[in-house]
Amino acid sequence: MIETERLIFRKFVPGDLPWLIEMRSDPDVSRYLGGTRMQNPEALAKRIEFYMSCYDRFGFGSCVMIWKPTGEAIGSAGLQPLEESGEIEVGYNMSKAFWGKGIGTEAARGWLDHGFGPGGLERIVAIAIPENKASTHIMEKLGMTYEKTADHYGSQCAFYAVSRERYLELRAGQNRER
């Protein structure tokens, strides 16, 4: 999988289910992930199976996010297809103790770099409940632009996207500024 400055990502395995349930049962964490309707043991058991099936089908999927300084699992992030459209989505979520540290941006950037580099993707989307300003801010910071608001798993969500060409152009500009 991939690695960033502060994070390592690894594939989910069935033994990660108890940890995933615990992390996502925090009401603040699950609030923008569909709440208890989507973040309950039965739904997460199905979801982890979906994550694992993506690795073989696409060569990527949502992964466990490991905090390098401690080796602790702190969240998940990765690329996966949207079930409705098949478009590839970058997603990220983490334990509340790690909010506000730039980790979501770092994780999403790492996966966009992977998707547009070795993954060979031409377009990547991201979805958030509009009230989740932290997530929409990450999307905009990474060059994604708002496209529409539409239903996604029973919630009205903002859909953002970025093309490979646009993202690589922005990354090249960031590298020149360093």
Side-chain angles (χ1 to χ4, degrees):
M1 292 284 100
I2 72 167
E3 190 171 321
T4 66
E5 183 181 336
R6 300 178 294 169
L7 304 168
I8 298 171
F9 297 88
R10 68 161 174 79
K11 295 177 181 179
F12 272 100
V13 296
D16 291 320
L17 183 59
W19 164 79
L20 185 65
I21 291 168
E22 181 182 341
M23 183 200 51
R24 292 197 184 168
S25 64
D26 180 316
D28 290 328
V29 173
S30 70
R31 174 177 46 172
Y32 296 127
L33 298 173
T36 56
R37 178 177 54 83
M38 301 279 298
Q39 306 303 317
N40 62 66
E42 296 77 27
L44 288 170
K46 290 179 185 169
R47 199 69 189 159
I48 202 170
E49 290 294 328
F50 171 73
Y51 295 155
M52 292 185 298
S53 75
C54 287
Y55 308 140
D56 293 330
R57 290 176 31 220
F58 304 102
F60 51 73
S62 187
C63 294
V64 177
M65 185 185 326
I66 307 292
W67 183 241
K68 280 184 184 179
T70 64
E72 171 185 8
I74 64 166
S76 64
L79 300 171
Q80 64 190 21
L82 290 176
E83 294 176 45
E84 308 90 31
S85 67
E87 285 202 274
I88 303 301
E89 171 195 23
V90 63
Y92 40 86
N93 61 84
M94 71 206 68
S95 300
K96 193 168 39 176
F98 290 87
W99 290 3
K101 300 177 186 316
I103 295 168
T105 301
E106 182 177 333
R109 181 177 288 121
W111 283 104
L112 289 171
D113 288 348
H114 178 79
F116 290 131
L121 300 173
E122 290 299 321
R123 174 180 154 92
I124 297 176
V125 301
I127 300 168
I129 293 174
E131 295 79 31
N132 187 350
K133 300 297 184 196
S135 192
T136 57
H137 177 70
I138 290 170
M139 295 171 193
E140 291 167 355
K141 189 186 322 187
L142 295 174
M144 301 184 106
T145 56
Y146 171 82
E147 291 192 338
K148 65 182 178 180
T149 299
D151 184 77
H152 180 67
Y153 291 124
S155 297
Q156 285 296 298
C157 292
F159 283 68
Y160 283 71
V162 66
S163 69
R164 179 180 195 276
E165 180 180 359
R166 175 72 177 137
Y167 181 75
L168 295 178
E169 177 183 292
L170 291 169
R171 288 293 277 158
Q174 291 167 351
N175 290 336
R176 280 192 300 272
E177 291 173 9
R178 290 182 185 170

